[in-house]
């Protein structure tokens, strides 16, 4: 399955952290918008991502070992309603160039970076992310598994 890996930091995050702030709003209203700074995703990349049965993006905590799968149901360039964005970055929403509507966030498996390959190079994400300043990577991610180990179709 094709996905996107994005780095995030806690530079602007509230004390509970980026992920907890996003999960809190999901719990409150059923979704949250996750903003991406920097370059905009192409329409082709968005179509590829959204063509998956369960579209998701991999969030990589810069400089830390935490990784999260954010399951999305929409992606857009337009700024979403401010009350659907975590409070701590509503004041700078206009600085974000792209948005993902996240409906669920789950901690990724510890070795997820070793299971994902960068689509353009075939290099493992664990190595590519250390040697590249790219703001995001299009990745070949492992297929989703059900609790009984079978693949989600």
């Amino acid at each position: 399955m094709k996905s996107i890996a994005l780095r995030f930091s806690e530079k602007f995050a509230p004390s509970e952290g980026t992920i907890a702030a996003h999960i809190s709003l999901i719990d409150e209203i059923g979704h949250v918008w996750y903003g991406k700074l920097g370059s905009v995703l192409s329409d082709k990349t968005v179509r590829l991502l959204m063509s998956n049965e369960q579209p998701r993006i991999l969030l990589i905590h810069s400089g830390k070992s935490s990784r999260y799968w954010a399951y999305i149901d929409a992606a857009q360039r337009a700024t979403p309603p401010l009350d659907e964005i975590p409070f701590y970055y509503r004041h700078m929403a206009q600085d974000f160039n792209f948005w993902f509507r996240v409906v669920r966030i789950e901690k990724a498996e510890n070795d997820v970076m070793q299971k994902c390959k960068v689509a353009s190079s075939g290099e493992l994400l664990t190595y590519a992310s250390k040697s590249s300043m790219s703001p995001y990577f299009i990745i070949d991610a492992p297929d989703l598994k059900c609790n009984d180990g079978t693949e989600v179709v």
Side-chain angles (χ1 to χ4, degrees):
M1 108 180 265
K2 294 285 189 217
S3 189
I4 295 172
L6 298 171
R7 293 184 176 107
F8 75 93
S9 74
E10 300 290 353
K11 184 175 182 180
F12 304 109
S15 59
E16 69 267 23
T18 297
I19 298 300
H22 282 76
I23 289 173
S24 177
L25 204 47
I26 292 170
D27 290 346
E28 184 180 327
I29 65 171
H31 66 271
V32 65
W33 287 91
Y34 182 91
K36 180 193 170 306
L37 292 166
S39 58
V40 174
L41 275 64
S42 70
D43 290 339
K44 179 181 176 183
T45 300
V46 173
R47 280 193 305 274
L48 182 68
L49 176 62
M50 298 308 293
S51 70
N52 291 308
E53 175 120 359
Q54 290 187 358
R56 61 186 176 154
I57 57 175
L58 182 63
L59 303 177
I60 303 168
H61 191 169
S62 292
K64 305 286 182 184
S65 61
S66 303
R67 313 290 185 247
Y68 301 89
W69 285 114
Y71 292 82
I72 63 172
D73 67 359
Q76 66 186 38
R77 291 185 175 120
T79 303
L82 293 181
D83 61 347
E84 297 178 15
I85 300 169
F87 70 91
Y88 72 93
Y89 64 101
R90 289 176 184 168
H91 70 284
M92 53 192 269
Q94 71 284 351
D95 296 338
F96 290 82
N97 298 321
F98 204 83
W99 297 90
F100 297 96
R101 192 170 110 146
V102 178
V103 294
R104 184 172 86 239
I105 296 176
E106 294 178 352
K107 188 154 180 39
E109 52 277 17
N110 291 338
D111 60 348
V112 69
M113 300 273 287
Q114 297 162 0
K115 293 179 179 177
C116 296
K117 290 185 178 180
V118 176
S120 61
S121 68
E123 187 175 18
L124 289 176
L125 182 57
T126 191
Y127 300 119
S129 67
K130 291 177 184 174
S131 61
S132 173
M133 294 302 292
S134 179
Y136 71 92
F137 298 94
I138 299 172
I139 58 171
D140 291 313
D143 290 328
L144 298 172
K145 303 286 183 191
C146 297
N147 289 337
D148 64 2
T150 59
E151 288 187 10
V152 173
V153 205

